[in-house]
Amino acid sequence: MANVLDRESTAEEALGKIDLSGKVVVITGATAGLGEESARVMAGAGAHVVITGRSQEKLAAVVERLRANSPDARVDTVMLELAEPESVRAAARRILEIAPRVDILINNAGVMAPPLERNSLGWESQFAGNHMGHFILTGILLPAIVAAAPSRIVNLSSSGHQIAPVNFDDPHFEHQDYDAFIAYGQSKSANILFTVALADKLKDRGVTVNAVMPGVVKTPLFRHIGGTGTIGSSGMFVKEIPQGAATQVWAAVSPDLEGVTGRYLEDCGFAPVNDDPASVATFGYRSAAMDKAAAARLWSLSEELAGERFDT
């Protein structure tokens, strides 16, 4: 089936006429923006959607909107604070109670360039939430994901990974001055390296793992830097939410991606390598972000921080 989608395609167009009846989809950070839009179109296609968020009130409001769109929508909600490992573990246990088999996991939630914050363990908040929370959640859910094979994991990253690699010697800014964008870039690099490592570990288990750059999208993600107006005025293409959610939905369901794993996707397609140092946070991916040795090193660091090993 030819891919005729592009950067202007919507999540509904990416889904097409695919029937998700009987499928369980877990989406983090689904109380607004890309997560909610992904949940909307996938619930509308018959999926049992499990959505997470930090506010029960916001989760309840999303459920109401989803059922207004699709009266028969099957939706469960789970409270989750990704930056706090104990919250992640509790949420993962709850998800497994709801769904012993998980067909699709979309690690959608994220924060961008906040002031310096640390979690209860002293981890820098962007590394803690954007990477470590999803690392621990995915690790605990792996048996349910493998049980549903062929299944898929989608990790949201960003071209912001071009700003900075993972600083393995000081990932929590304990010995260097905090820079919100360096920290963001590091966390987004970690999302890709995590994808590479996990894709390799699961390549013979029937589970594919891909990273997604959704684009510059009008969502609350940009609240710490004044919104998307300045970025849009620079000439970058700014997407509406249905366009921004398209690539992650495509990654989650498209027949074009059967068996495709360990890739970096954008605009409903395969992103090119972009190693031009003058081109920062624009398009494509740095080849260093796909380095298998760095990916293995991140996996080891993440297990050390989590205090547990995950059976893949």
Side-chain angles (χ1 to χ4, degrees), residues 47-296:
H48 173 192
V49 178
V50 182
I51 60 174
T52 79
R54 295 185 293 176
S55 163
Q56 190 61 59
E57 182 180 1
K58 290 182 178 179
L59 284 167
V62 171
V63 172
E64 185 175 341
R65 292 193 291 270
L66 294 181
R67 289 182 175 152
N69 181 72
S70 302
D72 296 327
R74 187 177 177 190
V75 187
D76 280 287
T77 66
V78 176
M79 289 285 289
L80 171 60
E81 172 50 75
L82 275 165
E84 292 294 342
E86 288 313 305
S87 174
V88 176
R89 292 185 175 96
R93 290 192 295 268
R94 177 62 185 138
I95 291 169
L96 291 174
E97 290 174 356
I98 295 169
R101 295 165 61 93
V102 174
D103 298 276
I104 298 166
L105 169 62
I106 302 180
N107 288 320
N108 164 82
V111 62
M112 179 182 183
L116 177 61
E117 298 175 2
R118 298 188 183 279
N119 74 355
S120 60
L121 299 175
W123 301 349
E124 186 275 320
S125 64
Q126 295 185 83
F127 193 79
N130 292 352
H131 169 59
M132 283 302 302
H134 285 128
F135 177 83
I136 295 170
L137 179 71
T138 303
I140 297 173
L141 295 182
L142 274 179
I145 298 169
V146 171
S151 45
R152 300 187 187 189
I153 299 170
V154 180
N155 296 323
L156 260 69
S157 182
S158 166
S159 57
H161 79 274
Q162 299 171 12
I163 298 170
V166 174
N167 185 334
F168 290 102
D169 297 320
D170 189 21
H172 301 305
F173 291 81
E174 297 169 306
H175 307 294
Q176 60 181 313
D177 291 337
Y178 176 72
D179 182 302
F181 287 98
I182 295 294
Y184 177 69
Q186 170 182 247
S187 72
K188 295 291 102 180
S189 289
N191 293 150
I192 303 174
L193 292 175
F194 171 45
T195 298
V196 171
L198 189 57
D200 189 58
K201 291 175 180 293
L202 295 175
K203 62 186 177 183
D204 298 321
R205 306 293 299 277
V207 182
T208 60
V209 191
N210 291 294
V212 163
M213 159 58 172
V216 178
V217 193
K218 295 178 181 177
T219 74
L221 179 68
F222 290 87
R223 63 188 179 276
H224 293 294
I225 60 171
T228 56
T230 301
I231 296 173
S233 66
S234 70
M236 293 183 69
F237 181 72
V238 178
K239 298 182 179 183
E240 300 295 333
I241 287 172
Q243 296 170 321
T247 303
Q248 63 201 64
V249 170
W250 179 70
V253 304
S254 175
D256 293 346
L257 294 174
E258 288 180 6
V260 174
T261 194
R263 300 294 296 271
Y264 179 86
L265 313 172
E266 64 183 347
D267 296 337
C268 297
F270 298 104
V273 176
N274 176 9
D275 281 333
D276 179 0
S279 176
V280 178
T282 52
F283 69 94
Y285 64 90
R286 295 288 194 255
S287 54
M290 290 285 191
D291 182 77
K292 289 194 173 185

